[in-house]
Amino acid sequence: MALELDGIWAPLVTPFAEDESLDLEALAFNVQLYGQTPLRGYVALGTTGEFVHLSDEERGQVIETVVRAARADDRPVIAGVGGHATRVAIEQARRAADAGAAALLVWPPFYYKARMQAEALIDYFTAVADASPVPVILYHIPQNTGVNLSPAVVGELAAHPNIAGIKDSSGQPAQTIAFLREGGPRFRVFVGSTTALLAGLAAGAAGGILAAANLAPYECCEVYDHARAGRWAEAAEIYRRVAAVDEMVAGMGLGALKAVLDMLGYRGGHPRRPLVRPDEPRLDPLRLLLREQRLLGC
């Protein structure tokens, strides 16, 4: 049976203790809490999961922990994988699938980004998809990688039977729409930026893989449900509340997202340096905004 991907997914944070050691107990705790929400599933080792800060061994531990915890409510896990060499990406893909990932979110090689032209990117993603035992989702986040996946490249990759979709984190609705046009009806396009969520859903996106879903899982799912039902006024009202918080959190960085999760009863923990967690005085305006937008109880 094909994996049903449509809906809202949370790209989980990876909690660290104050000494920056991996806190797998906190990670499992968060998944258990999210199991009470309407989230479609979880992404381990996305950008919010600080995959670039983890060793190969730690990445395996994170995937295994999330998969094990997600079994309690029978929700699928997408694992972030990739490599600057194609053979490394293939090895990571196989390991993640062996650990129980239902699909893979594959980031492009970006260190030699000047050489990552259409032919190289098509070869890379095709090779990973050929070798992967589970479906592949392309990861488009040019603001971090410096690598832009053009609609033409995505359209060619969308024809591969094991490439199921793309997460577009560009924040550019026009690019999301181009991916929808070029990908065809089988290809699932996920909005990866809260900024573009409503526009993406209106254009036909399959859902969202959103950092904001960590802190507002119910609200993000309500936006999706209202949009799917054509209740755009209701979707917009909830979206504005989430977007206001997301904008402030994004401006303060991943350490702020982890601090917000602590405020909400999850276990965000600390980021790894050079990322830092804001001190308490800097978090006060964020705490106030959470209350104003009815995301944090008084």
Side-chain angles (χ1 to χ4, degrees):
M1 182 179 294
L3 175 64
E4 175 57 51
L5 293 168
D6 292 16
I8 300 295
W9 300 70
L12 302 170
V13 303
T14 302
F16 300 107
E18 194 167 359
D19 66 359
E20 300 187 34
S21 60
L22 192 59
D23 191 345
L24 296 175
E25 181 183 346
L27 178 60
F29 175 85
N30 290 342
V31 174
Q32 290 163 6
L33 284 188
Y34 288 129
Q36 302 170 28
T37 75
L39 287 169
R40 177 69 190 91
Y42 317 113
V43 177
L45 303 180
T47 300
T48 51
E50 295 180 70
F51 71 90
V52 294
H53 289 169
L54 298 170
S55 68
D56 284 346
E57 181 181 359
E58 288 174 325
R59 290 177 187 178
Q61 290 175 322
V62 166
I63 295 171
E64 289 169 2
T65 298
V66 176
V67 168
R68 188 165 52 248
R71 288 193 184 116
D73 58 332
D74 196 28
R75 297 195 204 193
V77 175
I78 299 172
V81 301
H84 295 297
T86 302
R87 63 186 297 164
V88 173
I90 289 172
E91 182 180 350
Q92 288 203 8
R94 287 172 172 161
R95 286 181 179 176
D98 288 345
L104 306 176
L105 180 64
V106 182
W107 48 269
F110 55 83
Y111 186 81
Y112 296 107
K113 57 180 173 289
R115 303 274 70 83
M116 292 301 106
Q117 296 161 351
E119 184 178 356
L121 291 169
I122 290 170
D123 179 77
Y124 168 83
F125 284 112
T126 298
V128 176
D130 284 344
S132 174
V134 296
V136 162
I137 299 169
L138 312 176
Y139 193 4
H140 184 235
I141 183 165
Q143 63 270 37
N144 284 24
T145 64
V147 175
N148 187 66
L149 299 180
S150 71
V153 164
V154 171
E156 184 163 343
L157 290 169
H160 193 291
N162 202 34
I163 295 179
I166 187 170
K167 178 191 177 190
D168 178 24
S169 296
S170 68
Q172 304 297 321
Q175 193 141 32
T176 304
I177 292 168
F179 293 153
L180 283 161
R181 182 182 65 246
E182 296 297 326
R186 181 192 68 84
F187 190 71
R188 318 312 285 164
V189 177
F190 295 91
V191 180
S193 167
T194 303
T195 304
L197 179 59
L198 272 187
L201 292 175
I209 301 174
L210 305 166
N214 284 282
L215 61 89
Y218 292 99
E219 289 80 4
C220 288
C221 291
E222 285 179 328
V223 171
Y224 171 82
D225 289 342
H226 284 309
R228 275 295 178 92
R231 299 187 294 267
W232 292 104
E234 292 89 340
E237 190 279 326
I238 300 168
Y239 166 78
R240 284 191 291 268
R241 291 166 46 211
V242 175
V245 174
D246 182 73
E247 182 179 6
M248 183 177 285
V249 170
M252 296 174 70
L254 184 53
L257 174 59
K258 289 189 163 187
V260 167
L261 292 178
D262 285 336
M263 295 177 198
L264 295 172
Y266 298 95
R267 294 171 64 178
H270 294 260
R272 272 187 174 165
R273 291 180 298 175
L275 299 183
V276 296
R277 179 176 168 129
D279 57 27
E280 287 303 312
R282 288 191 61 209
L283 291 171
D284 286 341
L286 186 49
R287 190 175 286 105
L288 177 61
L289 183 61
L290 285 165
R291 290 195 177 100
E292 289 175 346
Q293 301 304 327
R294 305 194 300 282
L295 298 179
L296 179 66
C298 298

